[in-house]
Short mmCIF file of all heavy atoms in Angstrom, two decimals:
data_model
loop_
_atom_site.label_atom_id
_atom_site.label_comp_id
_atom_site.label_asym_id
_atom_site.label_seq_id
_atom_site.Cartn_x
_atom_site.Cartn_y
_atom_site.Cartn_z
N ALA G 10 0.82 -1.22 0.00
CA ALA G 10 0.00 0.00 0.00
C ALA G 10 0.85 1.27 0.00
O ALA G 10 0.62 2.18 -0.81
CB ALA G 10 -0.96 -0.01 1.18
N PRO G 11 1.86 1.41 0.87
CA PRO G 11 2.69 2.62 0.84
C PRO G 11 3.42 2.79 -0.50
O PRO G 11 3.53 3.91 -1.00
CB PRO G 11 3.68 2.41 1.99
CG PRO G 11 3.00 1.44 2.90
CD PRO G 11 2.22 0.53 2.00
N ALA G 12 3.90 1.69 -1.07
CA ALA G 12 4.62 1.77 -2.34
C ALA G 12 3.71 2.26 -3.46
O ALA G 12 4.10 3.07 -4.30
CB ALA G 12 5.21 0.40 -2.70
N GLU G 13 2.47 1.75 -3.49
CA GLU G 13 1.52 2.18 -4.51
C GLU G 13 1.18 3.66 -4.35
O GLU G 13 1.07 4.40 -5.34
CB GLU G 13 0.27 1.32 -4.44
CG GLU G 13 0.50 -0.13 -4.86
CD GLU G 13 -0.70 -1.01 -4.57
OE1 GLU G 13 -1.69 -0.49 -4.01
OE2 GLU G 13 -0.65 -2.20 -4.92
N ALA G 14 1.03 4.09 -3.13
CA ALA G 14 0.75 5.51 -2.88
C ALA G 14 1.92 6.38 -3.33
O ALA G 14 1.71 7.45 -3.94
CB ALA G 14 0.46 5.73 -1.39
N ARG G 15 3.14 5.93 -3.07
CA ARG G 15 4.32 6.69 -3.51
C ARG G 15 4.39 6.76 -5.03
O ARG G 15 4.77 7.79 -5.58
CB ARG G 15 5.59 6.04 -2.94
CG ARG G 15 5.81 6.24 -1.44
CD ARG G 15 7.23 5.89 -1.03
NE ARG G 15 7.54 4.49 -1.31
CZ ARG G 15 7.35 3.50 -0.44
NH1 ARG G 15 6.82 3.76 0.76
NH2 ARG G 15 7.67 2.25 -0.75
N ALA G 16 4.04 5.68 -5.71
CA ALA G 16 4.08 5.66 -7.18
C ALA G 16 3.07 6.65 -7.76
O ALA G 16 3.38 7.37 -8.72
CB ALA G 16 3.80 4.25 -7.69
N ARG G 17 1.87 6.69 -7.18
CA ARG G 17 0.87 7.64 -7.67
C ARG G 17 1.32 9.08 -7.45
O ARG G 17 1.18 9.94 -8.32
CB ARG G 17 -0.47 7.39 -6.96
CG ARG G 17 -1.17 6.10 -7.39
CD ARG G 17 -2.60 6.08 -6.87
NE ARG G 17 -2.66 6.08 -5.42
CZ ARG G 17 -2.68 4.98 -4.67
NH1 ARG G 17 -2.61 3.78 -5.25
NH2 ARG G 17 -2.75 5.06 -3.35
N GLU G 18 1.91 9.31 -6.28
CA GLU G 18 2.40 10.66 -5.98
C GLU G 18 3.53 11.06 -6.93
O GLU G 18 3.59 12.19 -7.40
CB GLU G 18 2.89 10.70 -4.53
CG GLU G 18 3.41 12.06 -4.09
CD GLU G 18 3.98 12.03 -2.68
OE1 GLU G 18 3.77 11.01 -1.98
OE2 GLU G 18 4.61 13.01 -2.28
N ALA G 19 4.43 10.10 -7.24
CA ALA G 19 5.56 10.38 -8.13
C ALA G 19 5.08 10.70 -9.54
O ALA G 19 5.64 11.59 -10.21
CB ALA G 19 6.51 9.20 -8.14
N ALA G 20 4.07 9.98 -10.03
CA ALA G 20 3.55 10.23 -11.38
C ALA G 20 2.96 11.63 -11.48
O ALA G 20 3.18 12.36 -12.46
CB ALA G 20 2.51 9.17 -11.73
N THR G 21 2.21 12.02 -10.47
CA THR G 21 1.62 13.36 -10.47
C THR G 21 2.70 14.43 -10.42
O THR G 21 2.65 15.44 -11.13
CB THR G 21 0.69 13.51 -9.25
OG1 THR G 21 -0.33 12.50 -9.32
CG2 THR G 21 0.04 14.89 -9.23
N ARG G 22 3.71 14.19 -9.58
CA ARG G 22 4.80 15.16 -9.44
C ARG G 22 5.61 15.27 -10.73
O ARG G 22 6.02 16.35 -11.13
CB ARG G 22 5.69 14.75 -8.27
CG ARG G 22 6.70 15.83 -7.87
CD ARG G 22 7.30 15.51 -6.51
NE ARG G 22 7.88 14.19 -6.50
CZ ARG G 22 7.70 13.28 -5.54
NH1 ARG G 22 6.91 13.56 -4.53
NH2 ARG G 22 8.29 12.10 -5.59
N ARG G 23 5.82 14.15 -11.41
CA ARG G 23 6.58 14.14 -12.66
C ARG G 23 5.87 14.99 -13.72
O ARG G 23 6.50 15.78 -14.42
CB ARG G 23 6.73 12.69 -13.16
CG ARG G 23 7.17 12.54 -14.60
CD ARG G 23 8.61 12.87 -14.80
NE ARG G 23 9.02 12.64 -16.18
CZ ARG G 23 10.19 12.95 -16.67
NH1 ARG G 23 11.10 13.49 -15.88
NH2 ARG G 23 10.50 12.70 -17.92
N GLU G 24 4.57 14.83 -13.84
CA GLU G 24 3.81 15.61 -14.81
C GLU G 24 3.92 17.10 -14.52
O GLU G 24 4.12 17.92 -15.43
CB GLU G 24 2.34 15.17 -14.79
CG GLU G 24 1.48 15.81 -15.86
CD GLU G 24 0.07 15.27 -15.86
OE1 GLU G 24 -0.19 14.26 -15.17
OE2 GLU G 24 -0.80 15.87 -16.53
N ALA G 25 3.85 17.45 -13.25
CA ALA G 25 3.98 18.86 -12.87
C ALA G 25 5.38 19.38 -13.14
O ALA G 25 5.56 20.52 -13.59
CB ALA G 25 3.62 19.02 -11.39
N ASP G 26 6.40 18.54 -12.91
CA ASP G 26 7.78 18.95 -13.14
C ASP G 26 8.04 19.25 -14.61
O ASP G 26 8.74 20.21 -14.96
CB ASP G 26 8.74 17.85 -12.66
CG ASP G 26 8.85 17.80 -11.15
OD1 ASP G 26 8.42 18.76 -10.48
OD2 ASP G 26 9.37 16.78 -10.64
N VAL G 27 7.51 18.40 -15.51
CA VAL G 27 7.71 18.61 -16.95
C VAL G 27 7.05 19.91 -17.39
O VAL G 27 7.63 20.69 -18.15
CB VAL G 27 7.18 17.40 -17.76
CG1 VAL G 27 7.21 17.71 -19.25
CG2 VAL G 27 8.00 16.16 -17.47
N ASP G 28 5.83 20.16 -16.93
CA ASP G 28 5.15 21.40 -17.28
C ASP G 28 5.94 22.61 -16.78
O ASP G 28 6.13 23.60 -17.50
CB ASP G 28 3.74 21.42 -16.66
CG ASP G 28 2.79 20.46 -17.36
OD1 ASP G 28 3.10 20.06 -18.51
OD2 ASP G 28 1.76 20.10 -16.76
N TYR G 29 6.43 22.52 -15.57
CA TYR G 29 7.21 23.62 -15.02
C TYR G 29 8.51 23.82 -15.80
O TYR G 29 8.91 24.95 -16.11
CB TYR G 29 7.52 23.32 -13.55
CG TYR G 29 8.56 24.25 -12.94
CD1 TYR G 29 8.29 25.60 -12.73
CD2 TYR G 29 9.81 23.75 -12.58
CE1 TYR G 29 9.23 26.43 -12.18
CE2 TYR G 29 10.76 24.59 -12.03
CZ TYR G 29 10.47 25.93 -11.83
OH TYR G 29 11.41 26.76 -11.29
N ALA G 30 9.17 22.70 -16.19
CA ALA G 30 10.43 22.79 -16.91
C ALA G 30 10.25 23.48 -18.25
O ALA G 30 11.11 24.26 -18.68
CB ALA G 30 11.02 21.39 -17.10
N ARG G 31 9.15 23.22 -18.94
CA ARG G 31 8.91 23.86 -20.24
C ARG G 31 8.84 25.38 -20.07
O ARG G 31 9.38 26.13 -20.89
CB ARG G 31 7.62 23.33 -20.85
CG ARG G 31 7.71 21.89 -21.35
CD ARG G 31 6.56 21.56 -22.29
NE ARG G 31 6.63 20.16 -22.70
CZ ARG G 31 5.94 19.18 -22.16
NH1 ARG G 31 5.10 19.44 -21.17
NH2 ARG G 31 6.06 17.94 -22.60
N LYS G 32 8.18 25.83 -19.02
CA LYS G 32 8.06 27.27 -18.79
C LYS G 32 9.41 27.89 -18.45
O LYS G 32 9.74 29.00 -18.90
CB LYS G 32 7.07 27.52 -17.65
CG LYS G 32 5.64 27.09 -17.99
CD LYS G 32 4.72 27.20 -16.79
CE LYS G 32 3.33 26.67 -17.10
NZ LYS G 32 2.44 26.69 -15.91
N VAL G 33 10.22 27.16 -17.66
CA VAL G 33 11.54 27.67 -17.29
C VAL G 33 12.42 27.82 -18.52
O VAL G 33 13.09 28.83 -18.72
CB VAL G 33 12.21 26.73 -16.26
CG1 VAL G 33 13.67 27.11 -16.06
CG2 VAL G 33 11.47 26.79 -14.94
N ILE G 34 12.41 26.78 -19.39
CA ILE G 34 13.29 26.78 -20.57
C ILE G 34 12.93 27.93 -21.51
O ILE G 34 13.79 28.50 -22.17
CB ILE G 34 13.22 25.41 -21.27
CG1 ILE G 34 13.94 24.37 -20.40
CG2 ILE G 34 13.85 25.46 -22.65
CD1 ILE G 34 13.82 22.96 -20.90
N GLU G 35 11.65 28.27 -21.58
CA GLU G 35 11.23 29.38 -22.44
C GLU G 35 11.87 30.70 -22.00
O GLU G 35 12.05 31.61 -22.81
CB GLU G 35 9.70 29.51 -22.41
CG GLU G 35 8.98 28.38 -23.12
CD GLU G 35 7.47 28.47 -22.94
OE1 GLU G 35 7.01 29.44 -22.28
OE2 GLU G 35 6.75 27.59 -23.46
N ASN G 36 12.22 30.80 -20.74
CA ASN G 36 12.74 32.06 -20.20
C ASN G 36 14.24 32.07 -19.93
O ASN G 36 14.78 33.06 -19.44
CB ASN G 36 12.01 32.39 -18.89
CG ASN G 36 10.52 32.57 -19.10
OD1 ASN G 36 10.10 33.24 -20.03
ND2 ASN G 36 9.72 31.95 -18.23
#
C-alpha cells in the first residue's frame, strides 16, 4: 500500500515537473 501511494504521488509530481520545466526553458 505505501509503495503504490508513492508511485501515484511520483507520477503526479513528474507531470507537474515537466510542465514547469517547459516554462523555465522558455525564459
Side-chain angles (χ1 to χ4, degrees):
E13 291 171 358
R15 287 194 300 269
R17 289 192 297 270
E18 181 184 349
T21 301
R22 191 166 55 227
R23 165 73 176 174
E24 186 176 349
D26 285 345
V27 172
D28 288 341
Y29 169 68
R31 289 196 183 99
K32 295 173 184 176
V33 170
I34 288 174
E35 290 174 1
N36 299 314

